[in-house]
Amino acid sequence: MRLSRHIQSWTGGGLPIMTKKGIVILAALFVAALGVFIWQSRPQQREPVYEGKTLSEWVVLLDSQTEHKAQNEAAERAFQAMGKKAMPGLIRILHKRADPPVVAKAKALAVRFHLLRPAELQLAEFQYRAARACCALGGWHDVDIRAAIPDLTYSLTNNAFRTLEPFAWALVYSGPEGLSVITNVMATDPSPQVREAAAHSLWISRKIRTPEIAGALVSATQDSDANVRVMALLTLQSFAKEKDLASIIAPRVLRCLQDTNTQVRRWTVELLGRFSSFPEVGPALTNMLNDPDPTVRNQAERLFERKPRGVEK
């Protein structure tokens, strides 16, 4: 009777108007939905539990909303307590892929017949929060998250998320192997959004402020996309306090003062102001007082009004 009522609701209230072919199709979908229910009901690998909630439930709570600060802090404590035991579950979440259309329709039908509960989150959001959990584990609690590198890389480079930050940050926190992924993506990925996210991720840890990473960011200041160039310059500001990196950064970003993009020139002026002890920097910045764009000229003027704070050679 339940199937009949649902079919009637989909056909405007009358089964007789359906063709025989339509009934067969709906019956097939119902069988598929039942199959999805049976598949989803199979025994699952047990997730770790903390304070009565499973790992998946804690992932759902990790939403990064400022008004949910207490909730997010509780979720972070849960992942800290679970430690390395959380990684298999997080990897399973990150490894999920969107269902084929037929399976998606069957799942929707299973939900309609109350055979399955509707998902609390869309897959992309669920994976976004799982990546944030990886950041908490790898970045703040020194848990080995290297096993997640393949799925974090897939999520970063497939560019299907509202923001790529947690995937890139988790790769940085995963250690040298993940860091190598980030520098390679920054140099070669065809998507400007992905390259920009990779450049942005390199500010998060002082441990990675090395000549190799500084050089990779300097190379990114010549990217074909202006947003990537700007992000590389902004990230390099966090490297400016490292005295041994000054000779790598300052001489090689001077050419950015000639960039055709106003924001690139503006942020190059700001960055080079930290290296005023280099002989070439002073005259180059003085020339920027005559830049055709007023925002660049204002940035240069403010720089000369401030007290010197450049890095010594």
Side-chain angles (χ1 to χ4, degrees):
M1 290 296 294
R2 190 176 218 174
L3 176 60
S4 175
R5 287 198 302 271
H6 278 286
I7 292 175
Q8 287 178 347
S9 70
W10 293 340
T11 59
L15 183 61
I17 68 171
M18 288 198 65
T19 64
K20 184 176 180 180
K21 181 178 179 182
I23 295 173
V24 170
I25 291 173
L26 281 175
L29 282 172
F30 178 74
V31 170
L34 186 60
V36 168
F37 168 70
I38 295 170
W39 174 255
Q40 295 286 335
S41 300
R42 75 193 191 283
Q44 301 283 336
Q45 186 171 344
R46 185 174 177 83
E47 290 190 334
V49 175
Y50 177 76
E51 293 187 347
K53 292 184 176 65
T54 65
L55 177 141
S56 291
E57 290 172 324
W58 284 115
V59 170
V60 170
L61 292 173
L62 194 63
D63 67 2
S64 76
Q65 299 295 319
T66 54
E67 60 268 28
H68 299 158
K69 181 180 178 182
Q71 169 185 303
N72 280 278
E73 289 176 348
E76 289 165 8
R77 288 194 299 272
F79 288 113
Q80 181 182 7
M82 287 185 270
K84 65 181 181 181
K85 293 179 181 179
M87 287 310 301
L90 293 175
I91 290 170
R92 281 196 299 275
I93 294 170
L94 291 168
H95 192 69
K96 290 181 180 180
R97 302 293 178 256
D99 292 319
V102 172
V103 175
K105 289 179 180 179
K107 282 188 175 180
L109 197 61
V111 169
R112 184 156 188 170
F113 282 119
H114 307 287
L115 297 173
L116 288 180
R117 288 186 302 174
E120 292 188 69
L121 297 173
Q122 294 292 323
L123 177 60
E125 181 65 21
F126 199 30
Q127 292 180 325
Y128 169 86
R129 298 185 190 191
R132 290 192 65 238
C134 287
C135 290
L137 289 170
W140 308 334
H141 304 301
D142 295 321
V143 173
D144 185 352
I145 62 172
R146 288 177 295 174
I149 287 176
D151 291 303
L152 291 167
T153 303
Y154 178 89
S155 296
L156 174 65
T157 55
N158 277 267
N159 200 11
F161 299 89
R162 60 185 174 91
T163 176
L164 301 175
E165 285 179 353
F167 304 100
W169 291 359
L171 283 166
V172 172
Y173 284 136
S174 70
E177 185 180 347
L179 190 57
S180 177
V181 170
I182 287 293
T183 54
N184 183 60
V185 163
M186 184 171 65
T188 64
D189 196 271
S191 166
Q193 183 186 359
V194 173
R195 299 198 304 275
E196 183 181 357
H200 187 204
S201 71
L202 294 173
W203 70 269
I204 60 174
S205 173
R206 187 170 183 176
K207 295 178 182 178
I208 66 172
R209 294 173 192 169
T210 64
E212 293 76 17
I213 301 303
L217 282 165
V218 168
S219 296
T221 64
Q222 299 301 305
D223 192 274
S224 60
D225 186 87
N227 289 329
V228 179
R229 301 198 297 274
V230 168
M231 186 56 69
L233 290 164
L234 291 172
T235 301
L236 280 169
Q237 293 192 37
S238 66
F239 286 63
K241 294 181 180 179
E242 311 299 326
K243 293 185 178 182
D244 58 333
L245 301 180
S247 60
I248 295 174
I249 299 171
R252 293 173 60 187
V253 299
L254 278 169
R255 57 188 173 178
C256 296
L257 293 173
Q258 308 305 317
D259 198 284
T260 57
N261 183 273
T262 297
Q263 291 302 310
V264 171
R265 298 199 304 278
R266 174 191 176 186
W267 291 111
T268 302
V269 168
E270 173 65 22
L271 176 61
L272 286 173
R274 301 167 184 265
F275 303 105
S276 57
S277 60
F278 279 74
E280 311 96 315
V281 169
L285 291 178
T286 300
N287 288 339
M288 301 310 290
L289 294 170
N290 299 314
D291 190 272
D293 188 274
T295 59
V296 179
R297 292 198 303 272
N298 290 339
Q299 187 73 37
E301 289 168 1
R302 286 195 297 269
L303 185 65
F304 281 103
E305 290 170 0
R306 295 201 298 257
K307 292 182 179 180
R309 54 187 178 91
V311 174
E312 296 297 328
K313 286 171 62 179

